[in-house]
Amino acid sequence: MINKKCIIRLLRYKNALHRLNNLGFVKVFSDNLADAVGVTASQVRKDFSLFGICGHKRGGYKIEALLEKLNHILGKNEQQKVVIVGSGNIGSALMKYRGFEKEGMKIAACFDIDPAKYDRKEGDIPVLPLEGLRDFVREHNIKIGIIAVPDIAAQQVLDLMLAAGIKGVVNFAPIRLRAASGAVINNVNLVLELETVIYFIINGLEKSIAEIHEEQKS
Amino acid sequence: MINKKCIIRLLRYKNALHRLNNLGFVKVFSDNLADAVGVTASQVRKDFSLFGICGHKRGGYKIEALLEKLNHILGKNEQQKVVIVGSGNIGSALMKYRGFEKEGMKIAACFDIDPAKYDRKEGDIPVLPLEGLRDFVREHNIKIGIIAVPDIAAQQVLDLMLAAGIKGVVNFAPIRLRAASGAVINNVNLVLELETVIYFIINGLEKSIAEIHEEQKS
DNA sequence: CAGTTTTAGTGAAAAAAATCACAAAACAAC
DNA sequence: GTTGTTTTGTGATTTTTTTCACTAAAACTG
């Protein structure tokens, strides 16, 4: 009964709660959260019920307490270190993107095969030769990697990562990578995200579908 | 019975077929495709069945014919023009990303409020003042937009886009935007993609979940 | 304090999605 | 041309996910 989709919704609730919290709100009702995340109020309550989270009849949920519970369920936020492989467009955008830090993730380094990309300047996130991946990952005990290389190289990079000891990967190459047993792979295909929207628009299905909602991970 | 998820799978099949085609293959079996896309062979056949696509018993599917049928169902590939709003990390990465062109999409222009970002050099994708969005969209009859601005500005940008006549949006700001009726919004939350992987790793659920697979669009 | 309203919590029901299982067609081998 | 094998196509079944419908607690109202 407790499944991927449910976990993903919990993560979304958490994010939404964060935002509400920063805005100074103290409590929420199931339908506020539902709204923020794009599901029904029933769904929110059922999800919480599944994890034994309970609020107050007529009083909703205390945001702070709720966040605490969610953090507990989702695994407390010790900062996770992440490496990126591929310092092209997407890789370097992710390197510079501030959003990860905010949520307690740190990009420890980026790796590339192109010496022109190398960067060891103090203050920058280092861009290092791919050969160093294995040692770096081991030394820093890194579990999570991001693949931002062309599709042709993606499988090879994945193999390297897994060999180095990485356990979870977000793959931005437009090819589905398969998880070896014991690893988690989340394939994110940017082109597909756009194509999906295009499909619904050119086929005039706007009416029927206000929201496309799905996730793809592996 | 014909739903979003199914459409998304069709798009994936199409992408996979493209790849196989380029590799010189001429026919596929349902299980090849299943493999490439990460579903079961039954699923592939059922999806095809739903759209009246049929192959040859024992002979599988001719890739070329299949692609043609899929293109027909998914709306023939006339090149779609797209605008981006936000010329920051993600926006400029997407601008430079070659993957869109390959699939018949063209980034017509990018818009920003920061004059330092403006770029009208011949050969580059132009980066223009946000004020010009409305006219540009109308003039070029653009239906699809990408939001790559900070969360705080996202809703405002969406409103602008919709007012200009854009019908479908991919939103990279880490906040869920709601579709006005008649519009399609696909929220892509990069941080969440990473968080999801982290969750499954730190909770040691690798065994149970080889693949996280879902999409979220709105 | 009795009545009214609001909102959580949850088992039951419904809907949606995926899988199974098997018939039918196509081809191969002999 | 009979037998055996492979692979599609699809109705039936199962599983999963979502929604419904109702109870009960809490908080207001006057």
Side-chain angles (χ1 to χ4, degrees), chain A residues 16-142:
Chain A
L17 285 166
H18 250 125
R19 243 176 298 127
L20 291 170
N21 202 25
N22 290 340
L23 257 52
F25 287 92
V26 172
K27 60 181 191 177
V28 271
F29 301 122
S30 55
D31 65 331
N32 304 140
L33 264 180
D35 227 53
V37 166
V39 299
T40 65
S42 283
Q43 180 93 77
V44 173
R45 296 201 300 273
K46 174 121 272 168
D47 285 341
F48 286 176
S49 160
L50 246 45
F51 285 93
I53 291 174
C54 55
H56 307 280
K57 307 258 161 131
R58 186 158 180 166
Y61 305 82
K62 290 286 195 76
I63 290 181
E64 209 163 308
L66 190 47
L67 269 172
E68 207 163 300
K69 276 182 198 140
L70 285 176
N71 277 331
H72 182 250
I73 291 162
L74 297 170
K76 192 67 199 79
N77 267 342
E78 44 186 278
Q79 190 177 60
Q80 282 292 329
K81 280 171 291 182
V82 177
V83 292
I84 299 178
V85 173
S87 182
N89 293 323
I90 295 184
S92 37
L94 295 174
M95 247 191 300
K96 287 181 238 148
Y97 186 49
R98 314 268 79 191
F100 296 122
E101 285 175 23
K102 272 192 227 157
E103 297 296 328
M105 305 166 209
K106 179 165 170 51
I107 305 212
C110 182
F111 294 85
D112 206 296
I113 36 163
D114 179 0
K117 301 280 179 52
Y118 298 162
D119 175 4
R120 290 194 178 84
K121 281 197 291 292
E122 195 63 33
D124 287 7
I125 293 171
V127 181
L128 307 171
L130 188 54
E131 298 86 71
L133 178 69
R134 187 193 184 96
D135 289 343
F136 189 95
V137 164
R138 293 190 173 178
E139 189 176 328
H140 295 80
N141 189 30
I142 286 169

Side-chain angles (χ1 to χ4, degrees), chain B residues 3 5 9 119 134 146 178 182:
Chain B
N3 54 38
K5 284 206 180 162
R9 282 196 302 267
D119 175 4
R134 189 194 183 95
I146 294 175
R178 230 96 57 70

Side-chain angles (χ1 to χ4, degrees), chain B residues 114-150:
Chain B
D114 179 1
K117 301 279 180 55
Y118 299 163
D119 175 4
R120 289 193 179 84
K121 280 196 294 292
E122 194 63 35
D124 286 6
I125 293 170
V127 180
L128 307 170
L130 188 54
E131 300 86 70
L133 178 69
R134 189 194 183 95
D135 290 344
F136 189 95
V137 164
R138 292 190 173 179
E139 188 176 328
H140 294 81
N141 189 32
I142 286 170
K143 294 273 169 291
I144 313 288
I146 294 175
I147 296 180
V149 301

Side-chain angles (χ1 to χ4, degrees), chain A residues 137-156:
Chain A
V137 164
R138 293 190 173 178
E139 189 176 328
H140 295 80
N141 189 30
I142 286 169
K143 294 273 170 291
I144 313 288
I146 294 175
I147 295 179
V149 299
D151 52 357
I152 208 81
Q155 182 65 53
Q156 218 173 336

Side-chain angles (χ1 to χ4, degrees), chain A residues 3-5 7-8 11-12 14-15 19 35-38 51 73-77 80 82 89-90 92-94 96-100 102-103 105 143-146 151 167-170 172-179 182-203 205-207 209-218, chain B residues 3-5 7-8 11-12 14-15 19 35-38 51 73-77 80 82 89-90 92-94 96-100 102-103 105 143-146 151 167-170 172-179 182-203 205-207 209-218:
Chain A
N3 54 37
K4 291 168 265 173
K5 284 203 179 162
I7 295 294
I8 288 163
L11 286 164
R12 285 193 214 286
K14 197 188 73 175
N15 287 354
R19 243 176 298 127
D35 227 53
V37 166
F51 285 93
I73 291 162
L74 297 170
K76 192 67 199 79
N77 267 342
Q80 282 292 329
V82 177
N89 293 323
I90 295 184
S92 37
L94 295 174
K96 287 181 238 148
Y97 186 49
R98 314 268 79 191
F100 296 122
K102 272 192 227 157
E103 297 296 328
M105 305 166 209
K143 294 273 170 291
I144 313 288
I146 294 175
D151 52 357
K167 295 278 182 264
V169 171
V170 180
F172 286 94
I175 183 172
R176 165 168 292 254
L177 297 178
R178 231 96 56 73
V184 172
I185 299 186
N186 184 0
N187 292 290
V188 177
N189 188 330
L190 299 176
V191 172
L192 203 55
E193 301 295 342
L194 198 51
E195 282 187 311
T196 311
V197 171
I198 291 174
Y199 170 79
F200 287 114
I201 292 306
I202 66 185
N203 292 358
L205 300 179
E206 306 93 334
K207 299 98 197 171
I209 301 167
E211 182 148 8
I212 314 166
H213 184 99
E214 195 192 346
E215 310 254 324
Q216 140 130 50
K217 292 157 200 165
S218 176
Chain B
N3 54 38
K4 293 166 261 173
K5 284 206 180 162
I7 295 296
I8 289 164
L11 286 164
R12 284 193 215 286
K14 198 187 74 177
N15 288 352
R19 242 176 299 126
D35 226 54
V37 166
F51 286 93
I73 291 163
L74 296 170
K76 192 67 200 81
N77 268 342
Q80 282 293 329
V82 177
N89 292 324
I90 295 183
S92 36
L94 294 173
K96 287 182 238 148
Y97 185 50
R98 314 268 78 192
F100 295 122
K102 271 192 229 159
E103 298 296 327
M105 305 165 209
K143 294 273 169 291
I144 313 288
I146 294 175
D151 52 356
K167 295 277 181 266
V169 171
V170 180
F172 286 94
I175 184 172
R176 164 169 292 255
L177 297 177
R178 230 96 57 70
V184 173
I185 299 187
N186 184 0
N187 292 290
V188 177
N189 187 330
L190 298 176
V191 172
L192 203 56
E193 300 295 343
L194 197 51
E195 282 187 311
T196 311
V197 171
I198 290 173
Y199 170 79
F200 288 114
I201 292 305
I202 66 184
N203 292 356
L205 299 179
E206 305 94 336
K207 299 97 195 173
I209 302 165
E211 182 148 5
I212 312 165
H213 183 100
E214 194 192 347
E215 313 255 320
Q216 142 132 48
K217 291 157 204 165
S218 177

